[in-house]
Amino acid sequence: MRKNLPRWLALLAVLVVLAAALSTTVFAAEDPTQEPGSKMIVCTECDGNGLCMTCYGQDPECEACGGSFLCPSCEGTGYTESPSRFYNTVWGLLPPVIAIALALITKEVYSSLFVGILVGGLLYSNFGFEGTVRHVFLDGIVGSLTDSYNMGILLFLVILGAMVCLINRAGGSAAFGRWAQTHIKSRVGAQLTSVVLGCLIFIDDYFNCLTVGSVMRPVTDKHRISRAKLAYIIDATAAPVCIIAPISSWAAAVAAFAADGQGLTLFIRAIPFNFYALLTIFMLVFIAILKIDYGPMARCERNAAEKGDLFSGKNPYAELEEEVDESHGRVMDLVLPILVLIVCCITGMLYSGGFFEGTDFVTAFSNSDASVGLLFGSAFALVFTLVYYAIRRSMTFGTMMSCIPEGFKAMVPAILILTFAWSLKAMTDSLGVTSFVRDFVYSNAASVQMFLPAIVFLIGCGLAFATGTSWGTFGMLIPIVQSVFPMDNPLSVVCISACMAGAVCGDHCSPISDTTIMASAGAQCDHVQHVSTQLPYAITVAAVSFVCYLIAGFVPNAAIALPIAFALMFLTLFGIRTGQRRKVAQ
């Protein structure tokens, strides 16, 4: 029973939030989509502008609108009622809750996600057969795959997979492993190197996960560090680093969500209060130095260190491993392509933000499109890698071309899970989950002002855990906080930081999060094993962060709250280590 307890903790947290939300009173608004319990949505036919999209208000003899120039679906109002009677209700959280529960119980992620998608389709169509099938496949799966942003990310994954395969075939990874074996002498050093590399690649979390994974796998394997531990290190340095780096795709997203053009300034002011991100990185360093492992991770680390079993179970990527003659490889065969990839991706993101059209550097990064920038950057880096290996004569042209489909195959597990996760998000969006949580936040803001940072943190955790998206979470909560507090109120910055921290925490814990999926793909670790092993660690940091937000609600001063946060985290880790030693002594 004790072994099964961690997989129920996160589900229990979501259910507690839902139970509290059932009894809330809500506010009133002028926009019909903002009304408490509203069933109104923006008209999908006219996209909310109220015009007839057949004649665009130009043909008085138009058969579609009868010459009224008004959208026949919404009659010119721009709004229609959602077809689902479950829209903007607590039932909208049922699909992700079911998917997460099944994934943690069955340890099988594909079927669990699909069942969650199916439940979402049933609720949206009011349990109609045809409506369910159309919503699941057309609006959900096909809609997710045809979205330009999502497709850019998938192509980026494929190109990155091809580059990893090329680097392995050229012997770059093995050469780096040999170099690391002579320079990195211990398991502690290998873990700290992974942490440092994860912190240095702060541009984007997707890029971070896959790059750190491909570079550090040979090193951590040499020192018998489990793939679950590597996946945790990758995951814990991806989003947490990006959410405190002013020059990153995450900073750009926050800047876009914040009102009145003060996004980047707000992001920088919120960094000292982003307790979850800062404490996660702090914890990574200290668990490596103090050699602290607990929960399911401890078993994985024992198996790796004592038995050489890096996976503590099946290796989902075993069939992709090939014996290759790597004796001719050099460290530069890995380092140079990775450096070019970093430079090209940064340049691509600046290009997507208009930097080469005269926009200044900071604004260009704030306006950048991560999907476009990473796609362009990785494409140019792939071309460079092919040319470089051709000049080096590292392999034949035919071998290089065979690496492209091989890289695609290596990314198929991540692509499948991402597709299903995006589809599940489409189901929750169509059921108005964000509207439901919005009403909950508004209705409780005034009465619990000093406790609001901690409450916002919990809501952010629950919403990001259930939906698997941190960007969507703080994209919804930040505007709400800005409407509750004036920007000259010290609590506004603390609450906005709590939004971001909660979003990252929930995203970190969620098995349907794209970053979590990327981390397991980067480490080539079983996805459900990665989730179950990192969950106790994430919950530990979340608990300390919650206490810190309670303190910051009464003392919104970073010079006081942040040192207290680090002290509490250190005491917590020291207490865990002391408890482990006593247990061993007994």
Side-chain angles (χ1 to χ4, degrees):
M1 180 62 186
R2 294 180 66 88
K3 293 181 179 179
N4 294 329
L5 186 59
R7 69 183 64 169
W8 292 102
L9 289 178
L11 178 60
L12 180 61
V14 174
L15 294 177
V16 168
V17 173
L18 296 185
L22 286 173
S23 60
T24 60
T25 57
V26 289
F27 66 100
E30 295 180 1
D31 186 335
T33 64
Q34 301 292 316
E35 291 287 348
S38 172
K39 301 293 183 182
M40 302 303 292
I41 59 175
V42 175
C43 178
T44 56
E45 295 295 327
C46 66
D47 201 23
N49 61 37
L51 289 177
C52 173
M53 300 308 290
T54 301
C55 69
Y56 296 98
Q58 301 294 323
D59 185 4
E61 297 181 359
C62 175
E63 295 182 0
C65 64
S68 67
F69 305 144
L70 301 178
C71 173
S73 296
C74 65
E75 298 180 349
T77 64
Y79 304 101
T80 57
E81 187 171 333
S82 171
S84 173
R85 64 174 179 267
F86 300 101
Y87 183 85
N88 196 6
T89 67
V90 69
W91 295 103
L93 285 168
L94 189 61
V97 167
I98 288 176
I100 291 167
L102 286 176
L104 294 175
I105 293 170
T106 66
K107 298 187 179 296
E108 208 293 306
V109 68
Y110 303 111
S111 61
S112 301
L113 285 172
F114 187 76
V115 169
I117 294 168
L118 185 61
V119 171
L122 287 168
L123 293 176
Y124 180 82
S125 65
N126 302 311
F127 297 92
F129 176 76
E130 181 183 359
T132 298
V133 173
R134 291 184 63 86
H135 191 55
V136 166
F137 290 99
L138 297 183
D139 300 333
I141 297 174
V142 174
S144 298
L145 288 175
T146 53
D147 179 83
S148 60
Y149 185 93
N150 292 350
M151 184 52 65
I153 294 300
L154 293 183
L155 289 174
F156 167 67
L157 283 178
V158 172
I159 293 173
L160 210 55
M163 285 192 63
V164 170
C165 187
L166 283 166
I167 291 170
N168 289 337
R169 289 283 183 92
S173 297
F176 184 80
R178 290 192 295 269
W179 175 88
Q181 196 170 24
T182 60
H183 291 80
I184 301 174
K185 303 294 186 180
S186 65
R187 299 179 83 248
V188 173
Q191 291 180 60
L192 291 178
T193 303
S194 302
V195 173
V196 170
L197 184 59
C199 291
L200 290 176
I201 303 177
F202 53 78
I203 299 300
D204 184 77
D205 54 328
Y206 292 171
F207 181 42
N208 181 305
C209 289
L210 297 173
T211 303
V212 175
S214 62
V215 171
M216 293 308 301
R217 274 198 312 270
V219 180
T220 55
D221 287 355
K222 295 280 186 184
H223 290 280
R224 293 191 172 188
I225 296 170
S226 67
R227 291 291 179 87
K229 187 65 169 292
L230 176 60
Y232 168 66
I233 294 173
I234 293 171
D235 209 350
T237 56
V241 168
C242 290
I243 201 63
I244 57 174
I247 301 177
S248 69
S249 58
W250 287 56
V254 173
F257 290 129
D260 302 326
Q262 44 189 339
L264 193 58
T265 302
L266 194 60
F267 181 91
I268 294 172
R269 289 175 61 196
I271 291 174
F273 292 104
N274 201 321
F275 298 127
Y276 182 81
L278 294 169
L279 294 180
T280 295
I281 298 169
F282 179 87
M283 180 176 177
L284 277 174
V285 174
F286 272 85
I287 63 173
I289 295 173
L290 299 178
K291 300 178 182 178
I292 299 173
D293 285 302
Y294 56 97
M297 186 74 77
R299 180 180 64 86
C300 292
E301 283 291 270
R302 280 197 304 272
N303 289 342
E306 298 172 5
K307 305 175 184 178
D309 180 6
L310 302 176
F311 300 92
S312 292
K314 66 175 182 178
N315 174 10
Y317 297 87
E319 62 185 28
L320 299 174
E321 296 180 357
E322 298 181 9
E323 292 294 329
V324 181
D325 180 15
E326 299 163 335
S327 59
H328 60 288
R330 301 187 304 185
V331 173
M332 193 56 66
D333 291 337
L334 179 142
V335 174
L336 190 58
I338 294 297
L339 286 177
V340 171
L341 179 64
I342 293 172
V343 172
C344 287
C345 285
I346 294 173
T347 305
M349 293 185 71
L350 290 172
Y351 168 80
S352 69
F355 178 74
F356 299 103
E357 297 174 0
T359 307
D360 65 273
F361 183 89
V362 174
T363 304
F365 228 105
S366 298
N367 296 332
S368 65
D369 185 324
S371 175
V372 172
L374 294 176
L375 175 59
F376 286 173
S378 60
F380 279 100
L382 176 62
V383 172
F384 169 84
T385 303
L386 292 170
V387 173
Y388 171 71
Y389 288 150
I391 294 173
R392 277 262 297 130
R393 296 184 178 179
S394 300
M395 63 191 92
T396 65
F397 180 77
T399 302
M400 287 193 290
M401 290 300 99
S402 69
C403 288
I404 295 176
E406 284 298 316
F408 187 104
K409 286 196 295 183
M411 290 298 164
V412 165
I415 290 172
L416 277 175
I417 298 174
L418 267 181
T419 300
F420 283 157
W422 284 332
S423 301
L424 184 60
K425 180 184 179 298
M427 297 297 108
T428 58
D429 287 345
S430 68
L431 291 170
V433 168
T434 54
S435 298
F436 178 78
V437 177
R438 176 204 65 209
D439 294 349
F440 170 74
V441 175
Y442 267 122
S443 63
N444 293 280
S447 59
V448 288
Q449 182 170 330
M450 296 303 179
F451 297 98
L452 197 58
I455 293 173
V456 169
F457 175 73
L458 287 181
I459 293 173
C461 290
L463 187 59
F465 182 83
T467 60
T469 169
S470 50
W471 284 28
T473 300
F474 59 65
M476 181 193 66
L477 292 181
I478 287 176
I480 293 174
V481 170
Q482 285 189 297
S483 67
V484 172
F485 290 110
M487 292 313 297
D488 57 356
N489 188 325
L491 277 178
S492 64
V493 175
V494 180
C495 285
I496 286 172
S497 187
C499 293
M500 296 188 287
V504 171
C505 177
D507 182 86
H508 199 184
C509 297
S510 177
I512 61 174
S513 158
D514 46 7
T515 308
T516 309
I517 295 164
M518 295 285 193
S520 56
Q524 293 191 356
C525 168
D526 180 76
H527 180 61
V528 176
Q529 184 185 67
H530 166 48
V531 174
S532 60
T533 51
Q534 85 163 355
L535 199 56
Y537 289 32
I539 291 175
T540 300
V541 182
V544 176
S545 299
F546 175 75
V547 174
C548 294
Y549 281 117
L550 286 174
I551 296 171
F554 291 90
V555 188
N557 186 322
I560 297 174
L562 191 57
I564 292 175
F566 284 128
L568 287 175
M569 192 72 247
F570 179 78
L571 290 174
T572 301
L573 292 176
F574 186 77
I576 292 172
R577 186 189 185 196
T578 302
Q580 286 182 320
R581 287 185 172 181
R582 287 179 179 175
K583 186 176 180 181
V584 171
Q586 292 174 354

